[in-house]
Amino acid sequence: MDTERRLITMPDGRDLDVLLAGPPGGLPLVIHEGTPIGLVLYPPRVQAAQDRNLRVILTARPGYERSTPRPGRRVVDVAADIAAVLDELGLDTFVTAGWSGGGPHALACAAALPGRCLAAASVAGVAPNGAEGLDWSAGMGPENIAEFKASVQGPAALTEYLDAEAASLGTVTGEQVAASLGGLISAVDKAALTGEFADYIAAGLRAAVSTGIAGWRDDDLAFVQDWGFSLEGARVTVWQGGRDLMVPFAHGQWLAAHIRGARAHLLPGDGHLTLGGPGSGLVMDDLLTLAELT
């Protein structure tokens, strides 16, 4: 793969670590990775993007990799960062997809950058904490319940929890990654977590904690606070699996029901990881259709 990695300075002086792949003249596809996943490309995803003349732009959110931490950031803040990255690259309109913890960040771009963000996909993405009519933690694996309990307790409790978790993730291999995720993955996800895909997930986890837990911590804290934007009126597609133990099916159902005009793909047989692996081309096709580019 032809890739380029850059450190881009934001208007406020912070740096963002950015990874680019694909045709320079292609429509930008801004990918928001999960929590915690670092700047690691999944080759089949990049190939699917190239086949559709999309240029992959992957940014490390503040606190991950070489991106300057930004304590207290809200989910909506990602939109201004993405706009600054695109400005620096001389790019205008784009489509975006967020997997898992990246889902809210893709939605933020759609809401805060109308006209510039042509369409957004939330793939196995979390819904707002405290949303009316949603039992937010029901159906989550025990590890996520413990993590978000610490998030609600505040930065000190969450830092202590994540420091302990990061110790094992920092050396995890593809052969170990399914076991390391414990009760967070269902049988369908375990079946998918092999070979190149397992190696990619493991590499992403290692990269995410390579410079500490600031990015992971600040993601979690942002999720359990007000996101800072309205979910109404954006071009959004929602993908959610019924066998997802990281982000339960009800989250996707809630998002699909509460984002006016959202296109819903609620798939009872899918898990959390299956939507982010082989199905990436389907997500891209859906985005391009929603953006009225096909």
Side-chain angles (χ1 to χ4, degrees):
M1 294 182 295
D2 291 330
T3 64
E4 179 186 0
R5 190 158 178 172
R6 295 180 58 174
L7 200 61
I8 294 179
T9 301
M10 299 292 98
D12 62 3
R14 291 178 296 111
D15 288 329
L16 275 191
D17 206 351
V18 180
L19 187 58
L20 310 169
L27 176 71
L29 168 62
V30 174
I31 292 178
H32 304 271
E33 280 291 11
T35 301
I37 294 289
L39 289 185
V40 177
L41 292 168
Y42 180 44
R45 182 183 294 169
V46 176
Q47 185 61 57
Q50 290 179 335
D51 291 344
R52 292 158 178 81
N53 197 34
L54 294 169
R55 185 183 191 190
V56 172
I57 300 176
L58 186 61
T59 64
R61 291 189 291 276
Y64 287 108
E65 306 246 14
R66 298 183 299 165
S67 292
T68 309
R70 188 180 183 182
R73 60 179 164 90
R74 297 186 302 166
V75 174
V76 71
D77 293 333
V78 74
D81 283 353
I82 294 302
V85 167
L86 294 174
D87 287 346
E88 176 66 21
L89 297 173
L91 303 172
D92 186 14
T93 56
F94 68 102
V95 294
T96 186
W99 275 264
S100 190
H105 296 92
L107 296 178
C109 287
L113 300 172
R116 190 167 192 179
C117 179
L118 302 177
S122 170
V123 186
V126 66
N129 182 253
E132 184 177 353
L134 175 65
D135 186 344
W136 201 77
S137 61
M140 279 188 182
E143 294 89 345
N144 264 14
I145 291 175
E147 182 175 331
F148 285 110
K149 180 180 179 181
S151 302
V152 172
Q153 291 172 340
L158 182 59
T159 297
E160 181 180 0
Y161 179 86
L162 296 182
D163 277 339
E165 294 296 305
S168 60
L169 291 186
T171 58
V172 70
T173 65
E175 292 77 14
Q176 299 167 339
V177 69
S180 75
L181 293 174
L184 290 174
I185 57 172
S186 60
V188 68
D189 280 329
K190 287 181 182 178
L193 203 53
T194 60
E196 185 180 33
F197 188 51
D199 290 341
Y200 153 70
I201 294 294
L205 292 170
R206 294 194 305 269
V209 298
S210 62
T211 57
I213 55 89
W216 187 2
R217 178 200 63 212
D218 293 342
D219 270 359
D220 281 355
L221 292 172
F223 294 147
V224 299
Q225 299 173 27
D226 181 79
W227 289 0
F229 62 91
S230 169
L231 291 169
E232 292 295 323
R235 287 186 175 182
V236 169
T237 178
V238 176
W239 294 74
Q240 188 70 41
R243 300 174 68 181
D244 189 334
L245 300 180
M246 291 191 195
V247 180
F249 197 51
H251 283 239
Q253 292 174 308
W254 191 94
L255 288 170
H258 289 81
I259 302 175
R260 179 167 45 87
R263 179 180 296 174
H265 301 272
L266 304 176
L267 308 173
D270 268 289
H272 189 81
L273 299 175
T274 57
L275 291 178
S280 296
L282 297 176
V283 173
M284 294 176 201
D285 288 339
D286 195 38
L287 269 177
L288 292 173
T289 301
L290 188 63
E292 298 181 353
L293 296 173
T294 60

